[in-house]
Amino acid sequence: MATIPEQPARRSQWGCWLRRGCWLASLLVLLSASTSCTDSQPIAKIGLLAPFEGLYRRTGYSALSAMRQAISESGGSFLPLALDDSADPARARRSAQKLLVDPQLQAVVGPLTPALADASAAVLQDPRILWVTPYAVDPELGFVDPLDSEQWAGALAEALGTAVRRQGVQTLYLAGERRGWPDWGEAEWHAATGLPTLFWESQTVSPTTWTGREAIFWLGDAAEAATFVNRLPADRTGPRFWLGPAGGDPVLAERLTGSQPLYWLTWVDRRSPDVAALSGAPLVYQATQSALARLGGTELPTRWRAAYFEIRGGVSHSYTP
């Protein structure tokens, strides 16, 4: 029988080449990975503190969507790093501490309310990062540090005073959580709003004393506002009820049991229609844009104006006082 003595040797030689080829291929992969790790730059991150669990989770996810949109439109060179604060002051402080552990973090947007920002300010006022709070807008300067400037509150109070005076209001009451707002007395609020302003908890207020010329400005969160409003008289002689940007939170409208109208105000881009404030989280979008611009060494032009809304039947509509 004919034999082919060379075949085993060829197999052995071929297997050797295969082994050498595999070894060379592995070496090339390792070298490539090493070179890639050496040449690539770490991705810069921008943090977001917002509620992603609990009652306000939809607010948090709207804020994250707005941040992602702003990053995408800027060229997408930053990675969003979102942590949950559950709209709880202690949780907001802990989440802020976790964010700052990341060495790639360059800026933080949030928390979304004055009380939560106040609770985490000691952590977020870190010179290593840029901190932007979406609610703290100075219409002349843009986003400001709410602990270093009171003009964000003064501008909002002035816009509120203009609106309620047009409604015939003669006395303004302040109710809800004041933490994170300027430490003003009634005289300072009077100067800011242009109206006699009283703290609700320091007054003896009875539904029988309403004249239809009063307004309440709520400083706290949306859920507590709904609870408060549901206890107010439902007739037209009751006080006008106003909120700041928290009035756009869906939690407020969902929890209202009466049919009385509510009002809220916020800041919008002068070039945009008021309806822009109803879609998602426009202030977070603008705050992210501002943070990215400042990290890049530029400033966005100031372009703010007050926008007013009325909640009817659980839906916000543009409102002209």
Side-chain angles (χ1 to χ4, degrees), residues 287-298:
T288 303
Q289 279 193 324
S290 176
L292 295 175
R294 290 161 67 181
L295 289 173
T298 62

Side-chain angles (χ1 to χ4, degrees), residues 256-286:
L256 294 175
T257 58
S259 58
Q260 68 271 35
L262 272 71
Y263 308 90
W264 60 283
L265 72 160
T266 188
W267 299 105
V268 299
D269 191 318
R270 286 193 180 100
R271 303 169 301 179
S272 301
D274 289 351
V275 73
L278 304 180
S279 56
L283 285 177
V284 172
Y285 170 82
Q286 298 278 5

Side-chain angles (χ1 to χ4, degrees), residues 47-309:
L48 174 65
L49 278 175
F52 297 102
E53 297 178 11
L55 182 62
Y56 295 99
R57 59 188 177 277
R58 286 168 299 169
T59 306
Y61 282 104
S62 292
L64 179 57
S65 177
M67 171 173 278
R68 284 173 172 161
Q69 181 182 349
I71 293 173
S72 176
E73 292 176 0
S74 72
S77 59
F78 277 76
L79 182 69
L81 181 60
L83 285 188
D84 169 58
D85 63 27
S86 295
D88 174 75
R91 184 70 173 267
R93 184 170 54 253
R94 290 194 300 270
S95 294
Q97 291 168 340
K98 292 178 182 178
L99 277 177
L100 265 69
V101 170
D102 194 320
Q104 297 170 322
L105 185 74
Q106 295 193 14
V108 173
V109 173
L112 306 184
T113 68
L116 296 175
D118 182 76
S120 52
V123 178
L124 295 173
Q125 285 185 316
D126 189 307
R128 296 173 298 170
I129 64 163
L130 173 65
W131 179 34
V132 183
T133 48
Y135 64 86
V137 176
D138 180 330
E140 300 300 324
L141 300 176
F143 293 97
V144 295
D145 186 328
L147 273 67
D148 289 343
S149 171
E150 296 179 342
Q151 182 52 28
W152 66 273
L156 197 67
E158 182 180 355
L160 170 71
T162 298
V164 297
R165 282 196 303 273
R166 291 173 181 170
Q167 292 179 321
V169 169
Q170 296 179 348
T171 304
L172 180 67
Y173 292 92
L174 299 177
E177 175 65 75
R178 294 205 299 272
R179 181 177 182 179
W181 291 82
D183 188 20
W184 292 346
E186 293 175 345
E188 287 87 353
W189 278 102
H190 185 170
T193 62
L195 283 167
T197 305
L198 306 171
F199 294 133
W200 178 268
E201 65 272 18
S202 64
Q203 306 300 317
T204 302
V205 183
S206 168
T208 61
T209 65
W210 296 126
T211 66
R213 296 185 178 275
E214 299 86 8
I216 299 171
F217 183 50
W218 185 260
L219 304 176
D221 68 22
E224 292 175 349
T227 300
F228 187 95
V229 172
N230 290 338
R231 296 172 180 166
L232 292 175
D235 57 53
R236 290 288 176 174
T237 63
R240 313 272 185 165
F241 193 88
W242 280 82
L243 301 92
D249 196 297
V251 168
L252 173 66
E254 290 173 354
R255 294 192 159 213
L256 294 175
T257 58
S259 58
Q260 68 271 35
L262 272 71
Y263 308 90
W264 60 283
L265 72 160
T266 188
W267 299 105
V268 299
D269 191 318
R270 286 193 180 100
R271 303 169 301 179
S272 301
D274 289 351
V275 73
L278 304 180
S279 56
L283 285 177
V284 172
Y285 170 82
Q286 298 278 5
T288 303
Q289 279 193 324
S290 176
L292 295 175
R294 290 161 67 181
L295 289 173
T298 62
E299 290 281 351
L300 292 179
T302 55
R303 54 197 185 195
W304 299 99
R305 63 182 176 86
Y308 303 96
F309 302 91

